[in-house]
Amino acid sequence: MQDLVERTIAAIRPLDRRAMEAARARQPQLTKPWGSLGRLEELATQIAGITGQPMPRLGARAVITCAGDHGVVAEGVSMFGPETTPAMVRNFLAGGAGINVLARLVGADVIVLDVGVAAELPPHPKLISRKIGWGTGNIVHGPAMTREQAWAAIAAGVEAATHVIEGGSTLLGTGDMGIANTTPSSAMVAAFTGEPPARVTGRGSGIDDATLARKIAVVERALAVNQPDPADPIDVVAKVGGFEIAAIAGLCLAGAARRVPVVLDGFIAGAGALLAARLAPAVIPYLIAGHASVEIGHRVVLRELGLQPLITLDLRLGEGTGAALAMHVVEAACRILVEMNTWQGANVAGPLVADDDALTA
Amino acid sequence: MQDLVERTIAAIRPLDRRAMEAARARQPQLTKPWGSLGRLEELATQIAGITGQPMPRLGARAVITCAGDHGVVAEGVSMFGPETTPAMVRNFLAGGAGINVLARLVGADVIVLDVGVAAELPPHPKLISRKIGWGTGNIVHGPAMTREQAWAAIAAGVEAATHVIEGGSTLLGTGDMGIANTTPSSAMVAAFTGEPPARVTGRGSGIDDATLARKIAVVERALAVNQPDPADPIDVVAKVGGFEIAAIAGLCLAGAARRVPVVLDGFIAGAGALLAARLAPAVIPYLIAGHASVEIGHRVVLRELGLQPLITLDLRLGEGTGAALAMHVVEAACRILVEMNTWQGANVAGPLVADDDALTA
């Protein structure tokens, strides 16, 4: 397991500078004022660099929603009971959840990766079963999982993403399902960044003030009891993380290794991406922050990764919904580069003043 | 002309409160934590209120790109020459511009409404020819147009939108094309809001500091020479506006009168929407701010209209590009409401704590 992850990390290369330069050089030739499509232009350059194609065309795409349960749910940190995790997985497989609706709208498949749901899930064509455990241990009493389990959960993410990419996906979105999973995400982000738990712990599914205070105390206890070592990413995820969060890190690493852009969802995805980035900083240029979550710890994650979100619509659902919504923006950026006319092609006079900086930037 | 516009205004009704309440009441029944889709939930409620459908389903859609030229281009306020306006119209009709790419991606038709291009444009199935003049007068020397022309340009927008809606469109986007049109837009916004020209005049197509200083002075002179009366919206648009900006106001009014949501593009659309709102404040609830433009005056417009943009990607292209991109978000909001499973339908246990406020809000 560790070996697969390490091989995946070793396969990550820098972005393709030539493709990026070609993409960047094409923008001023398109029939629009220089720079007038703002972040769509930067995004198209990034996708060119990721894919190695100066004119990137995206085809099939998928959101991989990683699912797992959490022992810490016993501490009363969520609005929902643990039975909701498998019930929502069934909802995903039936096509009726938020992620299904938003994924359909961008033509993305929804694949569920079970790495730790505390229930038997019957086989389904859209379900990848790689259960590492029936939920994690309760992090206020001890570690969430063993180091071996952490590597195995990351490896499950790598394998799922690789399977989906080999099936033709050219764009990946990350999703999560796991009642109580903002709690380990907050613990991981606090451990990695040194931020106090109160600065990275939010209302998750919509808890009230009293529950939020309890949740912050739970994160503090989890850190005090487990003493995760921020310099050892596997120690952090094993002690205070979650199976599906580790799997999300695997999705990021596999996307990067295969030169497929990975659109992150919100806070839980961010915790997984932060784990991936601590294992392999070279993964970061392959990541796209789909949206800015309401969850307060998300801004810490984005700052830490140096990512700017594409969409800010006060979402906090998870499942991959923000990633699916943002796939439209990613597609738009690529289509602009590929489909727009050039000044020459359209036989339109360009700007009156030659701007050498813009042409050569 | 005036009569058509006045009848359109008289036909605007308040949003449908019952449809809005039904839409709002459905959100907590859907399989997601209450409020977890943030602004998508508010947006679905707004669309329900606009259309009168508690479960709104959007069908065909169109961006109407209003085109016109501006005498003030002679003052050297743009990066482009006036020959670019008809050239870009031809580009729109050939399907090669930014708006074509982004409209295709959301299944929207692109219709060009010529209300004042200073060139002969051959007939085309996607071109509505309603030329009020060959460009406006230069606003630093006198009025842009007569009051009759202003009414006629608004009426042309009303008629184009009505035509498109009668052809089946259920969602409208506003677009603009007109070299130098940020200059009259800034003059209109300054006149309507009392903001000093420097606070509402930006770099448009990407002008440098010296040109920006000249442009601000041009707006100041236009206001000093024409003395538009902010209490008389037709006086403002006739003296310092533009044909296509007036037409955009007509699109807004006709959409509202026909209960079709109108997605605004950026700053020029905002100037048109502000004109519409000054003629008929009841239009505002029918408007959706597609995006936040880089153009500095746009934030003043949005504040004045009380609208919050859906997307912030540093766009400043115009044509309707921000509106087209935002149509995906509008569609997503409606699909969530219509397509998601309910807790009962999915046989999933809902939140542990009953939240009566959320259920009855």
Side-chain angles (χ1 to χ4, degrees), chain A:
Chain A
M1 297 300 172
Q2 181 172 348
D3 184 54
L4 171 65
V5 176
E6 285 172 347
R7 274 186 286 120
T8 304
I9 289 171
I12 301 173
R13 296 279 167 273
L15 297 192
D16 184 327
R17 299 235 142 254
R18 290 174 78 129
M20 292 175 81
E21 276 158 31
R24 206 179 274 126
R26 186 170 169 81
Q27 290 286 355
Q29 298 173 30
L30 302 175
T31 52
K32 58 182 171 58
W34 292 324
S36 62
L37 284 177
R39 294 192 57 211
L40 292 184
E41 301 188 13
E42 299 162 22
L43 186 54
T45 301
Q46 183 187 2
I47 305 295
I50 291 173
T51 60
Q53 300 169 39
M55 305 259 279
R57 290 169 197 272
L58 299 173
R61 60 209 63 184
V63 175
I64 302 179
T65 301
C66 304
D69 274 302
H70 299 271
V72 75
V73 74
E75 305 302 317
V77 289
S78 177
M79 292 281 285
F80 293 84
E83 68 285 357
T84 305
T85 303
M88 284 302 296
V89 167
R90 284 187 285 267
N91 196 16
F92 299 152
L93 298 173
I99 183 56
N100 302 102
V101 175
L102 298 180
R104 270 198 296 274
L105 196 55
V106 292
D109 214 1
V110 177
I111 304 293
V112 180
L113 170 63
D114 172 17
V115 273
V117 178
E120 208 61 78
L121 294 169
H124 187 284
K126 301 292 186 194
L127 174 67
I128 301 176
S129 294
R130 287 291 307 274
K131 217 186 279 288
I132 315 294
W134 282 50
T136 55
N138 184 343
I139 57 176
V140 297
H141 298 311
M145 65 190 86
T146 65
R147 288 181 75 89
E148 290 65 33
Q149 286 179 314
W151 284 115
I154 300 170
V158 167
E159 288 182 337
T162 303
H163 172 75
V164 164
I165 291 166
E166 288 179 350
S169 280
T170 59
L171 181 64
L172 288 188
T174 76
D176 71 277
M177 181 68 225
I179 296 303
N181 68 5
T182 53
T183 299
S185 297
S186 295
M188 285 176 66
V189 173
F192 278 132
T193 65
E195 290 281 350
R199 295 276 302 271
V200 295
T201 305
R203 293 179 187 275
S205 49
I207 55 177
D208 61 17
D209 289 349
T211 312
L212 177 59
R214 183 165 63 234
K215 183 175 170 184
I216 293 168
V218 162
V219 173
E220 287 167 347
R221 277 165 60 204
L223 295 171
V225 164
N226 287 288
Q227 296 287 328
D229 174 5
D232 178 356
I234 298 298
D235 192 58
V236 171
V237 66
K239 284 180 172 164
V240 298
F243 294 129
E244 80 279 34
I245 306 170
I248 288 169
L251 303 183
C252 297
L253 297 172
R258 294 288 185 133
R259 309 198 76 98
V260 167
V262 178
V263 186
L264 300 174
D265 194 21
F267 181 55
I268 292 106
L274 198 50
L275 169 59
R278 293 299 167 100
L279 288 168
V283 77
I284 297 175
Y286 291 86
L287 306 178
I288 295 162
H291 82 115
S293 168
V294 170
E295 193 69 15
I296 64 162
H298 195 215
R299 69 192 77 166
V300 172
V301 172
L302 294 175
R303 186 198 65 205
E304 199 73 14
L305 293 171
L307 299 177
Q308 204 186 341
L310 292 178
I311 289 176
T312 302
L313 289 170
D314 300 343
L315 310 181
R316 54 178 173 79
L317 173 53
E319 303 178 358
T321 47
L325 204 56
M327 281 183 172
H328 182 77
V329 179
V330 177
E331 175 86 51
C334 295
R335 296 280 192 106
I336 285 290
L337 195 61
V338 171
E339 295 184 9
M340 261 186 82
N341 261 336
T342 59
W343 296 112
Q344 204 170 12
N347 201 18
V348 180
L352 299 172
V353 188
D355 182 337
D356 289 337
D357 288 344
L359 284 167
T360 60

Side-chain angles (χ1 to χ4, degrees), chain B residues 64-354:
Chain B
I64 302 179
T65 301
C66 303
D69 273 304
H70 299 271
V72 76
V73 75
E75 305 301 317
V77 289
S78 177
M79 292 282 286
F80 293 84
E83 68 285 357
T84 306
T85 303
M88 283 302 296
V89 167
R90 284 187 284 269
N91 196 15
F92 299 152
L93 297 173
I99 183 56
N100 302 102
V101 174
L102 298 180
R104 269 198 296 274
L105 196 54
V106 292
D109 213 2
V110 176
I111 304 293
V112 180
L113 171 63
D114 171 17
V115 274
V117 178
E120 208 62 78
L121 295 169
H124 187 285
K126 301 291 187 195
L127 174 67
I128 300 176
S129 294
R130 288 291 307 275
K131 217 187 277 290
I132 314 296
W134 282 51
T136 55
N138 184 341
I139 58 176
V140 297
H141 299 312
M145 66 189 86
T146 65
R147 287 181 74 89
E148 289 66 35
Q149 286 179 315
W151 284 115
I154 300 170
V158 167
E159 288 182 337
T162 303
H163 172 75
V164 165
I165 292 166
E166 287 179 351
S169 280
T170 60
L171 180 64
L172 288 187
T174 76
D176 71 277
M177 181 67 225
I179 296 304
N181 68 5
T182 54
T183 299
S185 296
S186 295
M188 285 177 68
V189 172
F192 278 133
T193 65
E195 290 282 349
R199 294 276 302 272
V200 295
T201 305
R203 293 180 187 274
S205 48
I207 56 178
D208 61 17
D209 289 350
T211 312
L212 176 59
R214 184 165 63 236
K215 183 175 171 183
I216 293 168
V218 162
V219 173
E220 287 167 345
R221 278 164 60 205
L223 294 171
V225 165
N226 287 287
Q227 297 286 327
D229 174 6
D232 179 356
I234 298 298
D235 192 57
V236 171
V237 67
K239 284 178 172 166
V240 299
F243 294 129
E244 81 279 33
I245 306 170
I248 288 169
L251 303 183
C252 297
L253 297 172
R258 295 288 185 133
R259 309 199 76 98
V260 168
V262 178
V263 186
L264 300 173
D265 194 22
F267 181 55
I268 291 107
L274 197 50
L275 170 60
R278 291 300 168 99
L279 288 168
V283 77
I284 297 175
Y286 290 86
L287 306 178
I288 295 161
H291 82 116
S293 169
V294 170
E295 193 68 15
I296 64 162
H298 195 217
R299 68 192 79 166
V300 172
V301 171
L302 293 175
R303 185 197 65 202
E304 200 74 13
L305 293 171
L307 298 177
Q308 205 185 341
L310 292 178
I311 289 175
T312 302
L313 288 170
D314 300 343
L315 311 181
R316 55 180 172 79
L317 174 54
E319 303 178 359
T321 46
L325 204 55
M327 281 182 172
H328 182 76
V329 179
V330 176
E331 176 86 50
C334 295
R335 295 281 191 105
I336 286 289
L337 195 60
V338 171
E339 295 184 10
M340 261 186 83
N341 262 337
T342 58
W343 296 113
Q344 204 171 13
N347 202 17
V348 180
L352 299 173
V353 188

